[in-house]
Amino acid sequence: MGGKPSIVWFHQDLRLKDNPALVEAIKQGGAVIPLYIWELSEEGEWGPGGASRVWLHQSLKSLDMSLRARGSALVLRRGESIPVLRSVIRETGADAVYWNRRYEPHAIGMDQQVKTELRSNGIHAESFCASLLFEPWDVRTRQGTPFKVFTPFWKACLAAPDPPFPLSVPSTIPSLKHRPQTLSLEDLRLKPQMEWVQGILKAWDVGEEAAHNALLRFLKRGIGVYSKDRERPDRTGSSRLSPYLHHGELSPRTVWHLVSKWREMHKGGVEAAQDYLRELIWREFAYHLLFHFPETVSAPLRAEFAAFPWKQDRFGLLAWQRGKTGYPLVDAGMRELWATGWMHNRVRMVAASFLTKHLRIRWQEGARWFWDTLVDADLANNTLGWQWTAGCGADAAPFFRIFNPSSQGERFDPEGRYVRRWVPELGGLPDRWIHRPWEAPASVLNEAGVTLGKDYPFPIVDHAMARTEALEAYRELRARNTFSTGTIQS
Ligand SMILES: Cc1cc2nc3c(=O)[nH]c(=O)nc-3n(C[C@H](O)[C@H](O)[C@H](O)COP(=O)(O)OP(=O)(O)OC[C@H]3O[C@@H](n4cnc5c(N)ncnc54)[C@H](O)[C@@H]3O)c2cc1C
């Protein structure tokens, strides 16, 4: 074996396939030390929430097993990154540290500090692009500025050279004879001690192998009907790959190239594949925005929205979080989220719109709740999703487009199967009333065994009234500002 040992510092890239940092470390010819450092205080205001930590626990376990199968093992440490890296370097004689980049504002700052510190001590330090298809600074408008509108961004990505092919899984990973000390996974205390954790573990297979199986299953059975079914929460219409992409068990390049290959082999599948690749580019767009406008994690991209008259409504927020708003589609989504750590995209939009427009609660409150309960909680995607829905972000849905939760339910869950699954107390209602139980005749409610106000709440706000009030608040905001937003449709 040649050179000195190299450290591979894992973050949100918990995989062996298409891992440029790992491949580079192996190339050096010495032993490779796979290292994961857990230090919540370095994650800024956005340390992984409860559901993400459950996922992280399982994912680190799975990564360690994959490493062991190739003659290596994961070293786990706690503490601030620079002192921990220094001590692992000292203990092992490593002369290089490699890692795959993250793009969250706090992570960018950390990367720079670590590079400066290591390089000034004669250690080779290098980071790689592995969690995105394109670097956020490489995609630019003709004027050289960042994009704020999706379609031109998408076109610019399509015009760029194809993302590189994914790297293979190394067959062996050279290891030190005396492995450095490691903490046990339990020492990191990632998993909250709550019954709630069990629901998440039951709903998901975590880890790189599970991620690939999910992708292959989607290519075999899902992608062909993606264009037709992706908006349907009552069907398995989307890929459910978001947590794997977020934690880096699956690289976007792997997904991109396998979907592109599928498109070549299925002449009738061009539209489905294109629709799917477009969603992957929404993810890129979210990172592009996060990189260029890092303040948007807590402030609206459209600054005039900072003066929007949000309400303080503790009761409304609690009802929303618990899935007890009286609007079945919203409640089904919020309960799915609590039970499994995931929610369908269409329902995320409806639930987020309900919070910000019907209840007029600040989008940041909703973003925080999602952050803590989603297994795919992702600073870039979550920020984009909330700002888009609230009407204050890039390429946002106009504020005046207020989803009617009942008609959204009737359109995207026409037989009420999704609602029946997550709001079983409404299970006996006929399809006609499942999305608007308060309008059902007493005899129908009786027969279904539903007493409103007892088994299931009355709507906490009236849709028409809430809509009028939200539009009025928006008109006032517009009157105070001179921004152009199109016409209010009433
Ligand atoms: C209010 C709100 C909050 C959101 N928070 C998050 C979040 O924290 N993490 C997260 O990954 N997604 C978030 N999204 C985006 C989207 O809802 C999820 O990515 C999607 O539901 C994941 O399911 P899927 O993997 O089956 O998606 P698919 O339809 O199969 O899409 C494939 C992949 O493309 C990406 N993608 C899809 N839609 C979007 C989108 N609108 N924006 C950015 N990327 C997208 C995801 O990585 C997804 O896994 C949010 C959306 C909204 C409206």
Side-chain angles (χ1 to χ4, degrees):
M1 202 190 317
K4 288 190 166 186
S6 302
I7 295 172
V8 178
W9 184 19
F10 281 91
H11 297 94
Q12 271 161 227
D13 52 345
L14 304 176
R15 62 172 183 269
L16 302 187
K17 186 175 165 66
D18 197 25
N19 190 323
L22 176 62
V23 169
E24 189 60 31
I26 294 174
K27 235 196 249 170
Q28 305 312 307
V32 172
I33 301 137
L35 174 68
Y36 185 84
I37 305 172
W38 172 247
E39 177 54 45
L40 197 54
S41 70
E42 282 184 356
E43 300 293 320
E45 284 179 63
W46 297 95
S52 292
R53 289 166 62 152
V54 175
W55 192 284
L56 183 57
H57 177 103
Q58 297 301 112
S59 193
L60 289 171
K61 192 170 170 180
S62 158
L63 178 66
D64 183 45
M65 279 163 57
S66 309
L67 287 165
R68 283 173 191 275
R70 284 161 186 82
S72 184
L74 192 58
V75 175
L76 298 173
R77 294 280 169 102
R78 292 187 74 138
E80 288 174 16
S81 299
I82 292 177
V84 170
L85 285 167
R86 263 202 229 116
S87 62
V88 179
I89 289 169
R90 209 173 34 244
E91 290 162 35
T92 59
D95 69 350
V97 182
Y98 300 103
W99 67 93
N100 298 312
R101 278 191 274 285
R102 292 191 293 167
Y103 300 88
E104 292 78 6
H106 64 274
I108 292 174
M110 195 66 220
D111 268 21
Q112 278 160 356
Q113 274 183 43
V114 172
K115 271 186 191 157
T116 310
E117 162 73 20
L118 294 179
R119 286 174 184 168
S120 67
N121 284 291
I123 303 293
H124 187 74
E126 200 178 338
S127 65
F128 298 86
C129 174
S131 66
L132 292 178
L133 298 168
F134 305 98
E135 292 287 20
W137 48 85
D138 282 345
V139 190
R140 299 221 149 230
T141 63
R142 275 204 204 114
Q143 293 71 38
T145 53
F147 284 96
K148 283 190 184 176
V149 180
F150 176 73
T151 303
F153 177 83
W154 157 241
K155 286 185 182 154
C157 291
L158 289 183
D162 236 16
F165 279 105
L167 301 162
S168 313
V169 180
S171 50
T172 54
I173 300 171
S175 183
L176 282 175
K177 216 161 161 196
H178 299 290
R179 284 194 189 137
Q181 277 190 343
T182 176
L183 295 172
S184 75
L185 194 49
E186 276 62 34
D187 290 333
L188 302 192
R189 286 192 230 108
L190 293 169
K191 258 200 289 192
Q193 298 297 313
M194 289 166 75
E195 186 57 33
W196 162 76
V197 168
Q198 298 314 317
I200 294 180
L201 295 180
K202 225 169 94 194
W204 296 94
D205 282 335
V206 180
E208 183 172 5
E209 195 184 337
H212 277 273
N213 290 341
L215 172 60
L216 295 182
R217 246 190 339 265
F218 177 66
L219 289 173
K220 204 162 162 203
R221 293 193 221 123
I223 193 165
V225 288
Y226 183 72
S227 302
K228 185 168 73 68
D229 282 356
R230 54 193 276 251
E231 296 280 17
R232 295 287 297 265
D234 57 339
R235 299 181 178 161
T236 317
S238 68
S239 68
R240 296 178 185 241
L241 293 180
S242 50
Y244 302 113
L245 282 164
H246 169 75
H247 295 274
E249 293 157 339
L250 197 56
S251 93
R253 291 190 284 245
T254 300
V255 182
W256 181 271
H257 284 290
L258 279 180
V259 171
S260 302
K261 196 166 153 204
W262 182 90
R263 180 177 54 192
E264 276 163 31
M265 291 162 62
H266 297 81
K267 292 296 170 223
V270 174
E271 188 194 339
Q274 204 70 350
D275 281 348
Y276 191 77
L277 295 179
R278 205 178 148 90
E279 293 309 309
L280 279 187
I281 298 295
W282 267 102
R283 179 175 179 272
E284 299 284 316
F285 185 50
Y287 276 88
H288 181 79
L289 293 170
L290 181 68
F291 179 78
H292 291 287
F293 308 100
E295 67 285 359
T296 54
V297 297
S298 52
L301 183 82
R302 298 178 53 177
E304 63 276 9
F305 268 87
F308 188 80
W310 302 109
K311 281 187 186 167
Q312 290 283 346
D313 180 0
R314 229 27 261 141
F315 167 79
L317 181 63
L318 260 181
W320 179 80
Q321 289 169 339
R322 291 178 180 173
K324 289 187 183 264
T325 66
Y327 284 94
L329 185 66
V330 175
D331 292 343
M334 297 307 293
R335 294 186 198 185
E336 179 183 27
L337 173 61
W338 183 251
T340 69
W342 189 85
M343 196 198 295
H344 185 276
N345 182 57
R346 169 60 47 181
V347 192
R348 289 188 205 205
M349 291 197 288
V350 175
S353 166
F354 186 83
L355 186 82
T356 52
K357 296 177 180 174
H358 287 76
L359 300 181
R360 269 204 284 141
I361 292 176
R362 289 160 57 87
W363 61 268
Q364 293 92 331
E365 299 257 22
R368 272 282 166 202
W369 182 254
F370 271 30
W371 185 256
D372 210 24
T373 51
L374 277 171
V375 286
D376 64 20
D378 181 283
L379 199 55
N381 287 359
N382 200 38
T383 304
L384 172 69
W386 277 95
Q387 293 228 15
W388 186 91
T389 318
C392 59
D395 205 359
F399 183 89
F400 53 74
R401 194 167 298 149
I402 297 177
F403 288 126
N404 177 335
S406 307
S407 8
Q408 287 284 308
E410 284 156 358
R411 187 159 162 214
F412 297 110
D413 178 31
E415 291 108 41
R417 276 191 291 141
Y418 178 70
V419 163
R420 284 193 183 86
R421 175 158 185 220
W422 295 110
V423 190
E425 62 270 36
L426 297 181
L429 279 180
D431 298 356
R432 181 169 172 204
W433 307 109
I434 189 90
H435 290 289
R436 42 184 89 239
W438 64 93
E439 288 179 10
S443 58
V444 172
L445 287 169
N446 239 346
E447 204 169 311
V450 179
T451 307
L452 288 179
K454 184 168 153 256
D455 304 310
Y456 184 71
F458 284 103
I460 57 168
V461 285
D462 173 71
H463 166 68
M465 209 186 288
R467 182 172 185 278
T468 307
E469 281 178 18
L471 290 178
E472 190 46 43
Y474 179 63
R475 272 197 196 94
E476 273 175 34
L477 181 74
R478 269 207 334 171
R480 274 186 273 139
N481 293 276
T482 47
F483 58 93
S484 147
T485 49
T487 356
I488 295 184
Q489 297 153 355
S490 42

